[in-house]
C-alpha cells in the first residue's frame, strides 16, 4: 500500500467510516456521517485512522445502494482495501464552511452544559441523534442517583430555548 502522508489533522473531526472492500480492484464502501451524505466529498483532504494516521487522496467515488464506494489513490487490490476496513474518516475542522454568528455544528455543542428554565443544571450534552421527526439531544444526567441519560427533543424555540455559543450552555424547557 502507498502511504501519501503520515501527518495527522490539527483539529480532527469524524465525518465517516470505511466499510468493507468492494470488488477486486481496491474499491471500498464508506458510510457518511454528514447531514447530506454526498457532502462528505466536499471536505478534503481525508485522514484515515485505524491505530495510525494515514492522509489519503480520493481518486474516484460512486453512489452504491444507500452508501458510496470509493477508490483511494495507491490502493490497487482487495487486500490493500481490506486493511482499511473500519478506519474512521477524519478531516481538519477548518475545511468546514465558516458559520454566521450564533450558528454551530452539532459536534460544537457536545459537552455544552444544559439548564432548564428554572436554571437547574440537568447535565452535559454527550451526543445528538437524528430521527425521522426531530433530532434528540442526549444529556448525561447530573444526578448521581439517576444513571440514565436524558433524551430531549431538539425542537428549536419550543423545547430548545437558547444555545449560547460564547458560554457553552443550552437552556431548555424541561423538568
Amino acid at each position: 500500500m502507498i502511504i501519501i502522508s503520515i501527518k495527522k489533522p490539527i483539529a480532527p473531526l469524524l465525518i465517516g467510516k470505511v466499510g468493507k472492500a468492494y470488488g477486486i480492484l481496491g474499491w471500498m464502501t464508506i458510510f457518511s456521517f454528514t447531514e447530506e451524505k454526498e457532502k462528505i466529498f466536499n471536505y478534503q483532504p481525508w485522514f484515515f485512522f485505524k491505530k495510525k494516521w494515514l492522509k489519503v487522496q480520493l481518486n474516484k467515488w460512486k453512489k452504491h445502494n444507500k452508501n458510496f464506494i470509493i477508490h483511494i489513490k495507491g490502493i490497487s487490490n482487495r487486500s490493500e482495501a481490506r486493511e482499511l476496513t473500519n478506519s474512521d474518516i477524519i478531516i481538519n475542522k477548518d475545511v468546514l464552511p465558516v458559520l454566521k454568528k450564533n450558528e454551530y455544528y452539532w459536534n460544537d455543542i457536545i459537552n455544552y452544559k444544559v439548564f432548564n428554565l428554572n436554571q437547574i443544571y440537568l447535565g452535559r450534552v454527550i451526543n445528538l441523534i437524528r430521527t425521522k421527526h426531530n433530532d434528540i439531544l442526549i444529556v448525561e444526567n447530573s444526578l448521581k442517583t439517576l444513571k440514565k441519560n436524558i433524551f430531549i427533543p431538539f425542537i428549536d424555540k419550543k423545547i430548545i430555548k437558547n444555545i449560547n455559543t460564547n458560554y457553552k450552555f443550552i437552556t431548555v424547557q424541561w423538568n
Side-chain angles (χ1 to χ4, degrees), residues 4-165:
I4 296 168
S5 175
I6 305 182
K7 295 180 181 177
K8 67 179 190 173
I10 296 165
L13 179 64
L14 178 68
I15 63 164
K17 190 118 180 137
V18 178
K20 63 184 180 179
Y22 178 86
I24 61 170
L25 300 176
W27 287 77
M28 58 194 86
T29 305
I30 65 159
F31 304 96
S32 173
F33 299 160
T34 58
E35 186 174 1
E36 295 174 41
K37 301 298 181 196
E38 208 165 290
K39 291 233 176 180
I40 191 170
F41 301 106
N42 294 353
Y43 311 123
Q44 301 288 327
W46 284 359
F47 298 84
F48 284 0
F49 183 76
K50 183 180 176 182
K51 297 182 185 174
K52 64 180 181 178
W53 290 99
L54 298 174
K55 185 176 179 183
V56 297
Q57 186 176 348
L58 188 62
N59 194 21
K60 298 176 187 173
W61 66 273
K62 299 177 189 175
K63 185 138 179 73
H64 180 69
N65 296 330
K66 292 184 180 181
N67 295 302
F68 302 97
I69 55 173
I70 63 166
H71 190 268
I72 298 297
K73 192 171 186 175
I75 305 294
S76 59
N77 63 55
R78 185 176 185 85
S79 296
E80 291 172 338
R82 194 179 300 139
E83 288 179 33
L84 297 171
T85 297
N86 291 325
S87 294
D88 290 329
I89 302 171
I90 312 256
I91 59 169
N92 264 320
K93 189 176 178 182
D94 63 358
V95 301
L96 294 175
V98 176
L99 298 174
K100 296 174 187 164
K101 187 176 179 170
N102 294 325
E103 289 185 334
Y104 50 87
Y105 289 109
W106 268 22
N107 65 300
D108 292 337
I109 64 175
I110 301 292
N111 289 322
Y112 273 32
K113 293 179 179 178
V114 180
F115 296 89
N116 68 14
L117 294 176
N118 297 323
Q119 298 180 344
I120 296 171
Y121 178 64
L122 301 176
R124 67 178 183 85
V125 177
I126 58 171
N127 204 355
L128 289 116
I129 299 173
R130 182 167 307 286
T131 66
K132 187 176 182 179
H133 299 290
N134 58 267
D135 302 332
I136 306 286
L137 191 69
I138 302 176
V139 177
E140 185 177 57
N141 197 332
S142 68
L143 300 173
K144 302 297 180 207
T145 55
L146 297 174
K147 297 197 187 268
K148 295 182 179 178
N149 293 330
I150 303 169
F151 291 74
I152 301 174
F154 200 101
I155 302 173
D156 201 27
K157 306 291 184 246
K158 262 189 165 172
I159 295 175
I160 306 297
K161 295 297 185 177
N162 180 38
I163 297 178
N164 188 311
T165 56

